Amino acid sequence: MARQRKKLSINKDKLKKTSAVESTTDTAQNREIVRPINPVVNYPNIGSKGGNGSNVNFTRFYGKGYDDITNRVYYTAKALLKNTDALSEETQKGYFKNGFFHFAEYLTLFRYSAGEDLTQDDITPELIEQYLLHLRGCELGYNTLKGYYTHLKSMLIHMRDKGYWSVIDDINLNSDFFPKSPFPNSSKRAKGEKPLTPHEKRQVVVALKQAIKPIYQKTEPLTGYQLTLCLLAVAIQTGINTSPLLNMTTDSLTDHPLKDCRKLLTVFKKRGNSTQLHNLRKSQELEVVQGIKLDVAYLIEAIIERNSQVRKSIDSDLLFVYESRVAHIGAERGTASSLAERLLRYNIKKFIKEYDLRDEDGRTMKLNVSRFRKTFINGIYELSGESLLIAARQAKHSGTGTLDHYLQAPEQSKRNLGLMGEIRVKELTCAEPSVPVGHCKDPKNGDKAPKNGSFCNDFLGCFRCKSFVITGDDLYKLFSFYWAIIRSRDEFGRKDWKRHLKNVLRIVDEEVVPEFAKLGQLQRVETEKERARSNPHPYWQNLDMLKVTQ
């Protein structure tokens, strides 16, 4: 009988490698959580878009005596990543980098004093209070400390919502757990960078022109540093924020639908998922490639052309994509990547050092895109005759953000304010009452006065009042008001302007001027009228003072 042949086939199921699976389901139950094999959370859409995203590594927090808390934070991060529509990856990352990482440093100290390992049960209101005391003892800015605390608070709330902080009952954490307003008046303490002074702006513009000029003559791809210079050139001329600039794509620049002399720049603003449109003037000297005049539209087109192959290698449509020639922040040597905020800050410091940029006191200049934006908006404010409406519209603000955080009173306005104070003192101490457009026989009991003991401040009513008197000395003020009305027609609104202000012009032209002509003072009228047009009285640089008195 023949011997049966041995079966040599291999069951492939026996060779399958069994992998450990980290459970990150959202439940409200308390469970024992084991340490993950690789406690790293990857945020694929953060950082250099040509790289592999940005990682948050929790490894260094293990073995410190609070592994249970670290585990729960890690799994919370994994759970939050399932829904980036509700919370952006940048926001989520901030919870752990700014919230937990600094809190973990304090947990190390607390574990040492407690003498035993910490668990989720140890996260109590008393621990939060002691952490706040610890923060206040740090030599950091007030708003920086507030940021650390706010991120921690948000992280703990999400940790409870995802079921990883299960010992906390269903209470209102804001009112029953966390202290109320531990950092009061933080908004008033915020001190952002100021706009560039004229001295600083001249230095930056000259330096950028010198730095950009060789770029137009290049044919090879631009480096990360050269792209930073281009980004700064775009920023100083458009006033766009850092994030929209970094996320600009190659289709951001399009033809203007109405004007051949302009280009249309479309950028995406992350906050509120809103799109912003910016007009870019296209100069007649676009054919000149020496870079004498910084032209945003042409510069963007040059970037698109120079780095097209690098962009194609990683299939990206981002504008500021480059190939790293040396290993540095955000990219390894030889890899294609895009500008990120850390590299941007590093390159700006390099730019400052290379061109020795200094402020009026000889100190190294502080420079960032935020200062460029504030400078741009303040420039719009001054060019518009100090119109808040136009400045806010250009800044894409709907509230008072422009006034609160961006605008700084021009030197001319400060001088006008001081002069206005002197004028008002003289008027109040003068025996003959006067108003900002003329004189009044009796501002308390005159024809249109309130007659209740208070002074009349209805300047528009003066032109219908029998007590109103205009002397030759008042012509300068009167015509300053006259020209302010003309300049403010569009800002005031055509209908309101016609209803409230147009009649003033008619009275001045048809009633006041003829009366002075009868007295043989027409030449004086013309002189004061021209003086008021070219150099208006401080009170009537615009119609803001008229609004204040209403």
Side-chain angles (χ1 to χ4, degrees):
M1 184 176 176
R3 204 161 77 182
Q4 189 174 3
R5 211 170 162 186
K6 189 175 180 180
K7 190 175 181 180
L8 299 178
S9 61
I10 300 175
N11 186 352
K12 60 183 179 180
D13 291 334
K14 292 183 179 181
L15 298 178
K16 283 185 177 179
K17 186 175 180 180
T18 304
S19 302
V21 179
E22 299 174 5
S23 175
T24 60
T25 55
D26 304 341
T27 70
Q29 68 181 23
N30 188 7
R31 57 179 175 274
E32 292 296 325
I33 304 179
V34 296
R35 175 175 173 173
I37 298 172
N38 183 30
V40 177
V41 180
N42 177 261
Y43 296 91
N45 295 313
I46 294 181
S48 313
K49 305 302 186 297
N52 297 315
S54 180
N55 292 335
V56 175
N57 194 337
F58 291 86
T59 304
R60 63 189 174 98
F61 300 111
Y62 284 96
K64 300 289 184 68
Y66 46 88
D67 286 6
D68 178 64
I69 296 175
T70 305
N71 277 336
R72 295 174 186 278
V73 172
Y74 166 78
Y75 286 113
T76 299
K78 297 284 284 186
L80 286 176
L81 256 180
K82 293 180 178 180
N83 186 8
T84 54
D85 292 334
L87 293 169
S88 69
E89 292 183 16
E90 194 73 49
T91 300
Q92 294 181 33
K93 182 183 175 184
Y95 291 159
F96 308 103
K97 294 283 284 186
N98 297 326
F100 176 69
F101 281 22
H102 293 278
F103 182 57
E105 294 176 2
Y106 177 70
L107 289 179
T108 304
L109 301 176
F110 189 78
R111 159 69 180 81
Y112 181 78
S113 62
E116 58 182 14
D117 288 353
L118 306 178
T119 66
Q120 62 169 332
D121 302 280
D122 293 298
I123 304 177
T124 61
E126 292 73 26
L127 176 65
I128 301 299
E129 286 282 4
Q130 292 179 47
Y131 176 58
L132 283 170
L133 291 174
H134 168 73
L135 282 180
R136 293 187 182 106
C138 299
E139 295 181 356
L140 295 171
Y142 189 82
N143 283 278
T144 300
L145 300 179
K146 178 181 181 292
Y148 291 161
Y149 169 75
T150 303
H151 280 97
L152 172 66
K153 178 181 175 181
S154 299
M155 185 204 75
L156 290 175
I157 290 173
H158 286 294
M159 194 164 82
R160 196 273 296 272
D161 293 343
K162 295 299 181 183
Y164 291 100
W165 187 21
S166 50
V167 296
I168 296 296
D169 297 330
D170 189 18
I171 63 172
N172 189 323
L173 292 176
N174 285 312
S175 59
D176 301 329
F177 188 91
F178 295 108
K180 296 179 181 178
S181 189
F183 294 93
N185 301 318
S186 58
S187 60
K188 295 181 180 179
R189 295 193 180 208
K191 294 182 179 180
E193 293 290 348
K194 294 182 179 181
L196 296 172
T197 65
H199 170 77
E200 292 173 329
K201 186 177 179 180
R202 280 194 299 271
Q203 283 192 77
V204 173
V205 169
V206 170
L208 279 176
K209 283 185 177 181
Q210 294 176 0
I212 293 290
K213 187 175 181 178
I215 291 177
Y216 288 107
Q217 302 168 345
K218 285 181 175 292
T219 56
E220 64 269 19
L222 304 178
T223 65
Y225 177 63
Q226 291 170 334
L227 286 179
T228 299
L229 299 176
C230 295
L231 184 144
L232 293 180
V234 174
I236 201 169
Q237 294 194 67
T238 62
I240 303 177
N241 273 322
T242 307
S243 181
L245 284 173
L246 291 175
N247 288 282
M248 278 175 58
T249 58
T250 52
D251 59 357
S252 295
L253 188 66
T254 56
D255 291 331
H256 197 286
L258 301 176
K259 298 181 180 180
D260 292 335
C261 63
R262 286 183 178 269
K263 289 282 188 176
L264 194 65
L265 185 65
T266 306
V267 295
F268 184 75
K269 184 179 180 182
K270 281 187 177 180
R271 187 177 298 162
N273 295 324
S274 59
T275 300
Q276 296 182 0
L277 300 177
H278 292 264
N279 290 324
L280 303 182
R281 184 178 299 279
K282 184 173 66 176
S283 75
Q284 298 299 319
E285 297 182 347
L286 275 180
E287 301 299 326
V288 181
V289 295
Q290 283 78 8
I292 297 171
K293 291 187 68 175
L294 282 175
D295 187 284
V296 180
Y298 184 75
L299 187 59
I300 292 174
E301 290 171 350
I303 297 170
I304 294 173
E305 180 184 353
R306 303 289 192 280
N307 288 36
S308 59
Q309 290 301 319
V310 181
R311 206 173 287 110
K312 189 176 180 180
S313 68
I314 58 173
D315 192 25
S316 173
D317 63 347
L318 287 172
L319 180 66
F320 296 106
V321 171
Y322 65 99
E323 182 177 313
S324 177
R325 298 178 182 176
V326 294
H328 59 74
I329 299 171
E332 297 179 2
R333 180 181 179 184
T335 60
S337 186
S338 65
L339 283 182
E341 288 200 36
R342 286 183 66 195
L343 180 61
L344 184 65
R345 290 194 294 268
Y346 175 83
N347 285 337
I348 289 175
K349 290 180 180 178
K350 180 180 177 182
F351 170 64
I352 294 170
K353 185 177 181 180
E354 182 176 348
Y355 288 91
D356 194 25
L357 301 178
R358 297 184 177 274
D359 59 19
E360 286 91 337
D361 298 324
R363 295 171 298 191
T364 301
M365 190 185 300
K366 293 182 179 180
L367 208 59
N368 53 42
V369 175
S370 177
R371 291 198 74 187
F372 284 2
R373 177 168 172 78
K374 291 183 179 181
T375 305
F376 177 82
I377 295 173
N378 274 271
I380 295 294
Y381 177 60
E382 293 185 43
L383 289 173
S384 64
E386 300 178 18
S387 169
L388 284 174
L389 179 63
I390 295 176
R393 188 181 299 155
Q394 187 64 35
K396 307 296 183 291
H397 290 160
S398 56
T400 60
T402 303
L403 180 62
D404 295 340
H405 303 293
Y406 286 86
L407 295 185
Q408 180 172 300
E411 289 302 317
Q412 181 64 32
S413 294
K414 295 177 182 178
R415 288 193 293 270
N416 290 343
L417 186 60
L419 180 58
M420 195 60 244
E422 295 177 15
I423 292 171
R424 291 302 293 158
V425 169
K426 290 180 180 178
E427 290 178 346
L428 292 172
T429 56
C430 182
E432 185 181 2
S434 65
V435 293
V437 288
H439 282 73
C440 183
K441 293 179 180 178
D442 190 351
K444 286 187 177 181
N445 301 296
D447 181 37
K448 299 292 184 180
K451 299 180 178 64
N452 58 3
S454 60
F455 287 94
C456 176
N457 62 1
D458 183 9
F459 301 152
L460 294 180
C462 291
F463 296 90
R464 304 185 305 273
C465 181
K466 296 177 182 178
S467 303
F468 186 43
V469 178
I470 298 177
T471 69
D473 294 335
D474 297 322
L475 288 173
Y476 176 48
K477 291 189 293 183
L478 176 67
F479 282 111
S480 293
F481 182 47
Y482 178 96
W483 289 116
I485 291 175
I486 293 176
R487 289 194 302 268
S488 303
R489 180 166 54 184
D490 292 334
E491 179 186 349
F492 210 82
R494 295 289 179 118
K495 290 184 179 180
D496 289 337
W497 184 88
K498 189 174 181 179
R499 179 181 177 185
H500 299 290
L501 298 176
K502 185 178 180 180
N503 191 51
V504 174
L505 303 182
R506 184 191 63 78
I507 292 174
V508 172
D509 289 334
E510 298 179 7
E511 297 182 23
V512 176
V513 173
E515 288 298 322
F516 277 91
K518 292 178 183 178
L519 299 174
Q521 298 190 31
L522 189 58
Q523 181 61 39
R524 183 177 183 183
V525 169
E526 294 299 328
T527 301
E528 294 293 352
K529 186 175 182 180
E530 178 58 27
R531 176 191 172 200
R533 187 190 66 79
S534 58
N535 184 28
H537 189 282
Y539 209 104
W540 297 122
Q541 298 279 341
N542 48 50
L543 294 181
D544 288 349
M545 293 306 299
L546 181 64
K547 298 171 188 176
V548 169
T549 59
Q550 298 305 305

